[in-house]
Amino acid sequence: MKTTAEGEVVGLCRDLLRIDTTNTGDPRTTVGERAAAEYVAEKLAEVGVESKLLESAPKRANLIARIPGADRSRGALLVHGHLDVVPADASEWSVPPFAGEEKDGYLWGRGAVDMKDFDAMVLAVVREWKRVGYTPPRDIVLAYTADEEAGMEYGSQWLVTNHASEFEGCTEAIGEVGGYSYTVNDDLRLYLVQTAEKGLDWLRLHATGRPGHGSFIHDDNAVTALAEAVARVGRHRFPTIVTPTVRAFLEQVSDALEIELDPDQPELAVAKLGPIANVIGATLRNTANPTRLEAGYKDNVIPGRASATIDCRTLPGHADAFLRELRDVIGPDIEIEHMHQQSAVETAFDGDLVDAMGAALRAEDPGARTVPYLMSGGTDAKAFATLGIRCFGFAPLRLPPDLNFSALFHGIDERVPVEGLKFGVRVLDRLLRNS
């Protein structure tokens, strides 16, 4: 029986899900990335595709492969996906998170949508191409990365810094998170294509005061000063800013849903979007969310220093104004330390690749309509964009109308529809053959 991409994508995804690639953020406890990269390398080698395993640290492996195209003078297309996943607490799940179990029409497991589904789709398409002797119209560069879930220091950022030559000639890229459907009605599904990402700035706030005994009256308490600053940050609502990408999204969605868009009150339109309202709502403004606190070493000792972590996400072009506003909220007496910064990325929703995305989706779903959107989180695109590559989120999936897809990212009982995987393979194959 002839093996096809559509026929083996579920098995490839299942295999990847069964490799525990949990990224804790601590290199001492992060596991499995090398094993997953070796699995991909083995599957590529089976059909004659040579790849490189580039290790940024022990067992932190990245894989690169280049599929030569018919016209090597054209700009190459980078197709990238990460192999690491966030931790999963098995006690919270309905199924073991690394079992790769198939039930109720879904493939379950940590990484099913973030993003071993797309990793498997790409692998399945390339394997079929090699089996039938197909040559794509231009070079395709494959990148399977480590460490996307913890800042990319051992993954795409390391590759861009140390192995930029591997991406020579790449002018465009596709990766997560986009190409998935949002059902308007039986005849219309919007497929969100990511054309922008918010910037990332992980901050540490430090307050200092006079240490002393916990039983004394104490007006210079570092914990009190920090807690007050953190509370102000947590309660602060930054102003609404409609970026070009968000405006384009809202205009197209308003037209599709036949609702009126008030540019000065975009929240009214977003509130009508159902399960994706949380995703889009976070793209209307800068955000700063307290995530961690640290202070003291004994219950009856007032410490001289207290610290907090703030997860900040900034709109394209608005990072400097955000930091000025945040400083006003925090106050002058708190030290701000920048732990990890990544700039926002944004590209226009135009060009032959964008046209090919729409055509590939419509060929498999006549009710498809592509719309651009800004992602509130971040992906490896932040690193690759520094090489001048236009980056898009396009990992195609047709989803059941009642599935709260955004809640599955880093969520409990993460799962991907089996038919969605097969749909994605067909769309991806069409796109890569015609882009």
Side-chain angles (χ1 to χ4, degrees), residues 333-387:
D333 298 327
I334 304 293
E335 176 192 348
I336 299 177
E337 176 190 358
H338 294 267
M339 296 192 303
H340 190 75
Q341 289 180 290
Q342 295 172 355
S343 298
V345 296
E346 187 168 31
T347 190
F349 189 58
D350 59 18
D352 292 342
L353 181 60
V354 169
D355 292 342
M357 291 176 186
L361 284 167
R362 289 189 297 274
E364 296 296 334
D365 178 5
R369 178 174 169 179
T370 56
V371 298
Y373 89 106
L374 166 66
M375 183 187 174
S376 61
T379 75
D380 284 326
K382 284 186 170 60
F384 296 128
T386 65
L387 298 177

Side-chain angles (χ1 to χ4, degrees), residues 272-433:
K272 300 177 182 179
L273 298 181
I276 64 169
N278 285 341
V279 175
I280 304 304
T283 68
L284 297 177
R285 54 175 48 86
N286 298 314
T287 59
N289 286 308
T291 57
R292 300 180 69 184
L293 294 169
E294 181 180 359
Y297 57 89
K298 197 171 186 296
D299 291 347
N300 63 347
V301 176
I302 297 170
R305 184 177 175 89
S307 302
T309 303
I310 310 294
D311 184 343
C312 304
R313 307 296 173 126
T314 55
L315 298 168
H318 293 272
D320 291 342
F322 164 81
L323 287 173
R324 289 193 296 269
E325 183 174 352
L326 184 65
R327 166 50 82 185
D328 290 341
V329 173
I330 291 171
D333 298 327
I334 304 293
E335 176 192 348
I336 299 177
E337 176 190 358
H338 294 267
M339 296 192 303
H340 190 75
Q341 289 180 290
Q342 295 172 355
S343 298
V345 296
E346 187 168 31
T347 190
F349 189 58
D350 59 18
D352 292 342
L353 181 60
V354 169
D355 292 342
M357 291 176 186
L361 284 167
R362 289 189 297 274
E364 296 296 334
D365 178 5
R369 178 174 169 179
T370 56
V371 298
Y373 89 106
L374 166 66
M375 183 187 174
S376 61
T379 75
D380 284 326
K382 284 186 170 60
F384 296 128
T386 65
L387 298 177
I389 300 172
R390 292 185 70 197
C391 295
F392 299 89
F394 189 79
L397 286 173
R398 180 169 174 176
L399 302 170
D402 58 348
L403 179 66
N404 188 352
F405 185 61
S406 63
L408 298 179
F409 284 82
H410 299 188
I412 298 168
D413 286 342
E414 186 178 348
R415 59 197 182 277
V416 63
V418 170
E419 291 306 315
L421 275 173
K422 296 177 180 179
F423 172 88
V425 161
R426 297 194 300 270
V427 171
L428 185 63
D429 182 45
R430 288 181 183 274
L431 171 66
L432 298 181
R433 287 174 182 264

Side-chain angles (χ1 to χ4, degrees), residues 96-286:
F98 297 103
E101 184 173 330
E102 184 178 342
K103 71 169 188 174
D104 301 329
Y106 289 85
L107 191 58
W108 300 60
R110 175 59 86 218
V113 298
D114 188 14
M115 61 173 298
K116 291 179 177 179
D117 56 343
F118 186 64
D119 294 337
M121 290 181 209
V122 175
L123 189 55
V125 168
V126 169
R127 280 168 57 84
E128 180 170 328
W129 283 359
K130 298 301 289 187
R131 284 193 295 266
V132 301
Y134 175 76
T135 299
R138 57 169 163 166
D139 281 12
I140 304 292
V141 176
L142 306 182
Y144 286 83
T145 64
D147 199 34
E148 192 274 346
E149 296 291 5
M152 307 174 239
E153 179 182 352
Y154 297 96
S156 56
Q157 295 280 7
W158 181 82
L159 287 171
V160 165
T161 300
N162 296 280
H163 296 279
S165 61
E166 299 292 343
F167 308 101
E168 183 178 355
C170 290
T171 56
E172 297 168 309
I174 60 171
E176 60 174 353
V177 175
Y180 58 90
S181 66
Y182 165 68
T183 299
V184 177
N185 54 50
D186 290 344
D187 302 316
L188 177 60
R189 276 158 297 283
L190 303 182
Y191 285 83
L192 280 63
V193 177
Q194 185 207 129
T195 59
E197 294 180 8
K198 293 176 85 171
L200 180 148
D201 201 346
W202 288 337
L203 305 178
R204 287 282 277 173
L205 307 187
H206 303 288
T208 57
R210 189 178 72 256
H213 199 287
S215 67
F216 296 165
I217 295 173
H218 207 95
D219 295 328
D220 186 17
N221 189 316
V223 174
T224 302
L226 178 75
E228 289 172 343
V230 168
R232 288 194 298 270
V233 171
R235 295 192 185 103
H236 185 71
R237 181 63 65 95
F238 290 85
T240 299
I241 301 173
V242 181
T243 62
T245 297
V246 171
R247 182 173 294 277
F249 170 83
L250 291 174
E251 289 174 349
Q252 293 203 39
V253 168
S254 296
D255 177 65
L257 298 180
E258 298 181 344
I259 58 176
E260 186 176 350
L261 168 66
D262 182 349
D264 297 323
Q265 293 184 302
E267 292 93 343
L268 298 179
V270 170
K272 300 177 182 179
L273 298 181
I276 64 169
N278 285 341
V279 175
I280 304 304
T283 68
L284 297 177
R285 54 175 48 86
N286 298 314

Side-chain angles (χ1 to χ4, degrees), residues 41-53:
E42 177 186 344
K43 290 300 179 181
L44 290 173
E46 284 179 358
V47 293
V49 176
E50 294 184 2
S51 61
K52 299 178 182 179
L53 288 183

